């Protein structure tokens, strides 16, 4: 090999290093945005955490065979999905034709979404028919400025699971009635009854009456659930001001009541002080180890675990109920996902066909029965069916059905996680009184609303 | 004349060899220069995807950082520096003690102990973090506290803003000190035995040998190991993120986790990028400082 040939070879190799990635990019770009030999190819952004849908994704070749539409799934972590979508549309790439987004991301992405009512009408349905089939709050959560930006498909709510062996024990029943003057309620219908139950079961067959997660995000949502159930429905009022901030002083007292109710469970020894170190996983272990009579948490997530043989042999069967509200008509905090079609997508019709397929009753049932983990559908019939099948706890289904829509804006995520969360930590740890918490968090949330440019 | 011609030929030949740098140059350009340049570009913008903002603010993000507009970042910076110092100190103490112990033991015993000491590094960091969180620190297991009879006496550490940082530190030292042990142990195995034996013949005590013979010979390997650990600790991420996500009350945020949270959780890419650039400058200063110190002491023959 001469030196010249060698150098030419090196130059060629260098060119390939540059060219190959570009070719790869242009190839995938063509596939994402337009046609290929087999028909349309759509790119779908989903959460890698939604393993419940794996059996549905396994059926994608059937979908392609029926429709000629190829689906390229992009599975990213739940925490990254909003960023992945927003980056994609902000830089003008618009590679996604269908995306699923979590509640906190819906408002920010809504202006970039197509109005699904057009497609619903084309399919012989309507927005009204869609929301009639769904639990009540979905219309308020999925519509933005009169536009149906998302198709609701996955929800969750805090619920309370309890040990049936303790609740049905004859001696416990007699003693409870003697102490409180009424039968052990299943389900309890007032928050005061929850406190009575927690007090009664503390040290009676178990160490504590109740456990809840008091750390991080799940700790913040525990308090939020109680606040919402006091009728303070959300973090922001209709005019975007903090719901219990300086512009809405009337709500402060309700937040104080909420914080007092929850922290008193710890203060009085009905819940362990160590909830400050428990997220849902630890609270669940605490309950399944037999240390508490009730757990107030995202109980739909470990629901299958509660009926596992080893757990049942230790603590017996678990029942569930929705946390009772403090104010009639109020509901708790809801967690939800929506599925949308970006306005800039070049394959909106194909994307709609895909959405209809994935949201079909058949595929949702497949996810519920064959998928890994829990999936709480927002479709009323499917929700009832999933309870019958033992997939979703009754308490969570009841909570999801009665919760109310609350305002979610581009600032809600930061209000919760950046502003409110550290203050809730301090409340649980006893470093803030309920009054201080209500005042400080109200002011801090208001500041975030101002910083976000939502209010002046 | 002939010399000039030879030099010219050599230069031309050298120039031809520059082509060999092209592939690596392109790789550096694509993988380092472009992302870094883009991060710098973003840091000059108010690029906030959650709020839908994308506007040029010049040095506004940097001004906010250095004028204390974000006190949490300054706290995380100080915490990171304390963390680096403590991790280095504890890793060195533990790793060196283990290495010295093995150095004195019979080969077979040392072999068995070496395997035991190295076990933690066989676990991936996120796995180790999950294990320590669920089994050792958090209720209901709290095995660490139970082992020392502290359960019920002190609060679960990961829920306490006063203890969570220390709980993470214990976990990190457990997980990473075996690397330090491994490197120091390798260094001890390569010591000049003749100097050691001579000191023993001279009747030097163990501490005298350690201070006068072993540690001076070990200086280069100690320096390299701890420099590496300093940079590695400065960039530490998984333990904090998995165990506390920076909580409770932001008491465990390191710079890396804080920047990640700003950029990827709150989608404030502009400010997050500015923080990342500041962090890059600090870690670069540390690295360059270490290299320069190394070169200087090498030249003087001090190390």
């Amino acid at each position: 090999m001469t030196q010249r040939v060698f150098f030419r070879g090196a130059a060629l190799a260098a060119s390939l290093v540059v060219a190959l990635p570009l070719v790869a990019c242009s190839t995938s770009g063509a596939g994402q945005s337009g046609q290929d030999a087999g028909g349309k190819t759509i790119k779908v952004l989903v959460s890698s955490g939604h393993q419940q849908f794996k059996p549905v994704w396994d059926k994608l070749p059937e979908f392609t065979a029926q429709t000629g539409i190829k689906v390229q799934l992009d599975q990213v972590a739940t925490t990254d999905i909003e960023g992945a979508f927003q980056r994609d549309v902000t830089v003008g790439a618009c590679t996604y034709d269908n995306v699923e987004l979590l509640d906190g991301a819906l408002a920010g992405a809504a202006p970039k979404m197509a109005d699904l009512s057009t497609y619903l009408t084309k399919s012989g349905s309507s927005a009204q028919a869609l929301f009639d089939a769904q639990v009540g709050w979905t219309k308020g959560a999925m519509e933005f400025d009169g536009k149906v930006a998302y198709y609701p498909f996955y929800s969750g709510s805090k619920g309370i699971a309890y040990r049936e062996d303790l609740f049905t024990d004859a001696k416990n029943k007699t003693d409870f009635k003697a102490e409180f003057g009424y039968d052990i309620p299943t389900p309890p219908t007032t928050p005061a009854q929850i406190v009575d139950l927690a007090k009664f079961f503390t040290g009676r067959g178990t160490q504590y009456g109740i456990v809840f997660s008091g750390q991080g995000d799940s700790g913040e949502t525990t308090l939020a659930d109680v606040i919402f159930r006091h009728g303070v429905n959300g973090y922001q009022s209709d005019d975007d001001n903090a719901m219990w901030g300086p512009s809405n002083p009337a709500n402060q007292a309700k937040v104080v009541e909420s914080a007092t109710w929850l922290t008193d469970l710890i203060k009085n020894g009905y819940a362990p002080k160590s909830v400050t170190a428990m997220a849902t996983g630890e609270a669940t272990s605490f309950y399944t180890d037999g240390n508490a009579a009730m757990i107030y948490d995202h109980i739909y997530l470990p629901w299958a675990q509660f009926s596992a043989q080893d757990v049942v042999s230790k603590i017996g069967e678990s029942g569930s109920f929705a946390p009772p509200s403090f104010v009639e008509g109020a509901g708790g905090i809801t967690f939800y996902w929506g599925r949308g079609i970006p306005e800039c997508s070049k394959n909106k019709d194909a994307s709609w066909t895909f959405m209809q397929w994935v949201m079909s009753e058949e595929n949702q049932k497949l996810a519920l029965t064959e998928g890994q983990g829990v999936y709480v559908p927002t479709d009323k019939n499917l929700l009832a069916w999933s309870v019958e099948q033992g997939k979703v706890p009754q308490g969570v289904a009841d909570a999801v059905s009665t919760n109310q829509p609350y305002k979610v804006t581009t600032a809600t995520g930061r209000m919760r996680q950046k502003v409110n969360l550290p203050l809730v930590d301090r409340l649980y740890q006893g470093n803030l009184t309920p009054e201080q918490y209500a005042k400080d968090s109200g002011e801090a949330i208001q500041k975030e609303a101002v910083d976000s440019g939502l209010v002046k | 004349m002939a010399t000039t011609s030879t030099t010219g030929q050599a230069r031309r030949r050298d120039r031809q060899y520059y082509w060999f740098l092209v592939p690596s140059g392109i790789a550096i350009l694509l993988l380092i220069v472009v992302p870094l340049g883009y991060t710098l570009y973003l840091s000059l913008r108010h690029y906030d995807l959650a709020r839908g903002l994308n506007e040029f603010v010049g040095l506004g993000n940097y001004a906010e950082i250095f004028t204390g507009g974000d006190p949490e970042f300054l706290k995380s910076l100080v915490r990171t520096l304390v963390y680096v110092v403590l991790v280095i100190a504890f890793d060195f103490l533990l790793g060196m003690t283990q290495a010295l112990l093995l150095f004195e033991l019979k080969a077979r015993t040392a072999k068995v102990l070496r395997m035991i000491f190295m076990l933690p590094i066989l676990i991936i960091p996120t796995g180790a973090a999950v294990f320590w969180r669920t089994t050792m620190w958090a209720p209901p297991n709290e095995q660490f506290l139970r082992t020392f009879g502290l359960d019920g006496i002190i609060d679960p550490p990961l829920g306490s803003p006063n203890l969570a940082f220390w709980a993470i530190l214990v976990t990190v030292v457990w997980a990473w000190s075996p690397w330090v042990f491994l490197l120091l142990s390798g260094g001890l195995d390569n010591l000049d035995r003749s100097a050691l034996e001579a000191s023993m013949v001279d009747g030097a005590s163990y501490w005298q040998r350690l201070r006068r013979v072993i540690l001076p010979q070990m200086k280069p390997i100690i320096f390299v190991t701890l420099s590496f650990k300093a940079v590695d600790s400065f960039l530490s991420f998984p333990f904090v993120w998995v165990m506390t996500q920076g909580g409770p009350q932001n008491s465990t945020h390191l710079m890396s986790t804080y920047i990640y949270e700003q950029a990827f959780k709150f989608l404030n890419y502009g400010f997050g990028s500015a923080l990342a650039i500041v962090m890059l400058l600090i870690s670069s200063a540390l690295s360059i400082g270490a290299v320069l110190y190394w070169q200087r002491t090498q030249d003087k023959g001090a190390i």
Side-chain angles (χ1 to χ4, degrees):
Chain A
M1 183 189 289
T2 64
Q3 198 181 46
R4 176 173 291 185
V5 170
F6 186 74
F7 284 135
R8 281 181 180 173
L12 181 65
S15 309
L16 286 174
V17 167
V18 178
L20 284 176
L22 294 175
V23 170
C25 285
S26 62
T27 306
S28 65
Q32 288 147 13
S33 61
Q35 307 269 350
D36 67 18
K40 297 268 186 195
T41 297
I42 60 168
K43 192 169 178 182
V44 178
L45 181 62
V46 297
S47 165
S48 57
H50 287 168
Q51 286 302 305
Q52 304 89 331
F53 277 83
K54 188 177 178 301
V56 179
W57 306 146
D58 290 344
K59 274 178 60 186
L60 278 172
E62 284 179 31
F63 171 74
T64 304
Q66 287 164 14
T67 61
I69 299 166
K70 289 183 182 173
V71 177
Q72 190 182 339
L73 270 189
D74 196 355
Q75 302 190 52
V76 305
T78 296
T79 47
D80 296 336
I81 202 162
E82 181 187 7
F85 173 68
Q86 290 280 19
R87 281 196 302 273
D88 185 62
V89 289
T90 304
V91 299
C94 198
T95 53
Y96 295 114
D97 300 296
N98 198 294
V99 295
E100 57 184 39
L101 291 169
L102 188 56
D103 43 32
L106 298 189
K112 291 148 189 160
M113 292 296 175
D115 189 350
L116 297 183
S117 55
T118 316
Y119 297 95
L120 285 161
T121 310
K122 268 192 209 170
S123 312
S125 181
S126 66
Q128 185 64 42
L130 169 70
F131 291 123
D132 283 349
Q134 307 282 322
V135 290
W137 50 264
T138 50
K139 184 174 163 62
M142 303 292 153
E143 275 191 345
F144 290 85
D145 297 325
K147 177 170 85 175
V148 182
Y150 304 97
Y151 197 115
F153 83 103
Y154 183 174
S155 175
S157 184
K158 297 264 182 179
I160 296 179
Y162 65 95
R163 285 178 55 173
E164 286 185 345
D165 62 340
L166 296 177
F167 275 60
T168 54
D169 179 82
K171 187 169 184 325
N172 283 345
K173 281 181 163 181
T174 314
D175 290 353
F176 186 89
K177 186 154 192 179
E179 189 172 344
F180 297 101
Y182 63 97
D183 290 327
I184 288 180
T186 46
T189 50
T190 66
Q193 289 180 347
I194 298 283
V195 177
D196 288 347
L197 286 166
K199 180 183 178 189
F200 178 75
F201 284 115
T202 297
R204 185 183 284 262
T206 180
Q207 210 178 344
Y208 293 98
I210 193 166
V211 64
F212 56 87
S213 50
Q215 192 188 40
D217 190 70
S218 52
E220 196 271 345
T221 49
T222 307
L223 177 60
D225 198 61
V226 179
I227 292 174
F228 280 35
R229 289 185 183 283
H230 272 83
V232 181
N233 194 40
Y235 295 84
Q236 288 168 275
S237 51
D238 289 340
D239 58 4
D240 287 326
N241 282 300
M243 191 67 120
W244 59 92
S247 303
N248 293 294
N251 287 331
Q252 288 251 327
K254 291 177 182 174
V255 173
V256 172
E257 272 179 42
S258 308
T260 304
W261 185 85
L262 202 54
T263 52
D264 274 357
L265 291 172
I266 305 171
K267 207 183 287 175
N268 293 326
Y270 309 153
K273 205 176 149 200
S274 57
V275 294
T276 55
M278 293 188 206
T280 296
E282 288 82 26
T284 300
S285 298
F286 196 86
Y287 172 76
T288 55
D289 277 4
N291 297 311
M294 295 181 281
I295 175 172
Y296 177 13
D297 214 318
H298 301 281
I299 57 166
Y300 54 99
L301 296 173
W303 188 242
Q305 197 182 329
F306 292 170
S307 11
Q309 194 55 49
D310 59 325
V311 172
V312 172
S313 65
K314 200 187 291 178
I315 64 168
E317 299 281 350
S318 290
S320 72
F321 53 84
S325 290
F326 295 74
V327 174
E328 204 177 324
I333 186 170
T334 318
F335 318 102
Y336 50 87
W337 288 77
R339 198 184 289 283
I341 300 174
E343 184 64 63
C344 61
S345 162
K346 297 178 186 71
N347 301 305
K348 289 203 269 290
D349 287 330
S351 180
W352 174 247
T353 306
F354 168 77
M355 195 182 292
Q356 285 178 297
W357 177 78
V358 79
M359 299 313 299
S360 67
E361 186 179 319
E362 181 194 347
N363 278 332
Q364 291 204 65
K365 282 185 173 175
L366 183 67
L368 279 160
T369 51
E370 304 292 327
Q372 205 178 43
V374 181
Y375 162 55
V376 183
T378 50
D379 180 283
K380 284 188 273 198
N381 289 335
L382 278 169
L383 186 59
W385 182 83
S386 60
V387 173
E388 281 168 24
Q389 300 295 311
K391 299 291 177 187
V392 172
Q394 181 70 56
V396 171
D398 290 345
V400 164
S401 302
T402 54
N403 286 350
Q404 302 297 316
Y406 64 99
K407 185 160 193 176
V408 175
T409 69
T410 52
T412 308
R414 281 181 213 185
M415 285 175 177
R416 281 192 51 234
Q417 302 200 327
K418 186 179 178 184
V419 175
N420 197 34
L421 201 151
L423 293 169
V424 175
D425 275 347
R426 293 180 66 192
L427 172 75
Y428 287 149
Q429 280 149 9
N431 298 330
L432 278 183
T433 63
E435 290 78 12
Q436 285 170 326
Y437 165 77
K439 183 175 176 294
D440 291 358
S441 63
E443 287 172 0
I445 291 171
Q446 180 69 19
K447 183 177 180 304
E448 184 62 32
V450 173
D451 289 350
S452 300
L454 293 171
V455 291
K456 291 181 179 168
Chain B
M1 193 67 186
T3 310
T4 313
S5 167
T6 311
T7 311
Q9 280 177 355
R11 275 193 189 147
R12 272 197 298 279
R13 194 188 61 226
D14 287 352
R15 215 174 289 144
Q16 287 176 332
Y17 284 120
Y18 289 155
W19 284 102
F20 289 106
L21 297 175
V22 170
S24 57
I26 290 169
I28 288 170
L29 187 75
L30 290 177
L31 299 176
I32 297 176
V33 178
V34 171
L36 201 58
Y38 189 60
T39 306
L40 188 64
Y41 165 76
L42 288 182
S43 75
L44 303 175
R45 304 187 71 79
H46 193 172
Y47 187 50
D48 186 335
L49 289 181
R51 294 176 187 168
L53 298 171
N54 186 7
E55 59 198 18
F56 181 75
V57 290
L59 297 174
N61 288 323
Y62 293 97
E64 190 177 344
I65 294 169
F66 292 114
T67 54
D70 185 5
E72 284 304 328
F73 175 71
L74 295 178
K75 284 182 197 167
S76 72
L77 169 61
V78 172
R79 195 177 295 116
T80 304
L81 296 175
V82 172
Y83 171 85
V84 170
V85 171
L86 291 174
V87 167
I88 290 175
F90 287 123
D91 275 1
F92 176 71
L93 278 176
L94 192 62
M96 193 67 191
T97 307
Q98 291 171 327
L100 287 170
L101 176 70
L102 262 58
F103 187 61
E104 299 296 327
L105 291 174
K106 286 179 182 167
R108 184 176 291 180
T109 316
K111 211 178 212 175
V112 174
L113 283 179
R114 180 174 282 122
M115 280 183 353
I116 293 171
F117 290 162
M118 282 170 54
L119 280 177
I121 57 174
L122 300 178
I123 304 171
I124 57 167
T126 44
V130 169
F131 164 73
W132 273 81
R133 179 187 160 92
T134 56
T135 307
M136 305 301 271
W137 297 123
N141 299 316
E142 301 179 311
Q143 288 303 327
F144 186 90
L145 300 186
R146 285 183 189 187
T147 303
F148 292 100
L150 294 170
D151 55 318
I153 296 172
I154 63 169
D155 291 338
L158 297 182
S160 160
N162 299 322
L163 299 174
F165 177 79
W166 296 98
I168 291 170
L169 199 70
V170 169
T171 310
V172 169
V173 170
W174 175 86
W176 287 123
S177 66
W179 284 110
V180 176
F181 154 72
L182 194 66
L183 292 169
L184 296 180
S185 190
L188 282 174
D189 289 342
N190 289 316
L191 279 187
D192 178 3
R193 296 260 172 182
S194 60
L196 209 54
E197 282 159 10
S199 66
M200 290 167 83
V201 171
D202 289 344
S205 68
Y206 179 77
W207 294 111
Q208 284 172 325
R209 268 185 285 145
L210 182 63
R211 214 156 72 86
R212 306 278 183 194
V213 182
I214 297 175
L215 287 180
Q217 285 196 62
M218 285 286 288
K219 261 188 181 176
I221 188 78
I222 290 172
F223 181 81
V224 171
T225 303
L226 298 189
S227 301
F228 168 76
K229 272 308 299 176
V231 176
D232 182 56
S233 305
F234 193 77
L235 304 174
S236 187
F237 179 85
F239 286 96
V240 172
W241 196 251
V242 171
M243 292 173 75
T244 60
Q245 294 208 349
Q249 297 173 39
N250 293 327
S251 63
T252 57
H253 262 310
L254 300 179
M255 283 172 75
S256 57
T257 55
Y258 188 71
I259 292 169
Y260 178 85
E261 188 177 69
Q262 292 301 313
F264 296 103
K265 196 167 171 183
F266 302 136
L267 304 185
N268 195 351
Y269 287 99
F271 189 63
S273 298
L275 294 174
I277 294 289
V278 171
M279 185 175 176
L280 177 75
L281 291 176
I282 296 171
S283 63
S284 301
L286 281 176
S287 307
I288 292 168
V291 171
L292 289 177
Y293 178 78
W294 168 257
Q295 285 176 343
R296 191 177 300 167
T297 46
Q298 280 282 299
D299 292 344
K300 288 180 183 171
I303 287 186

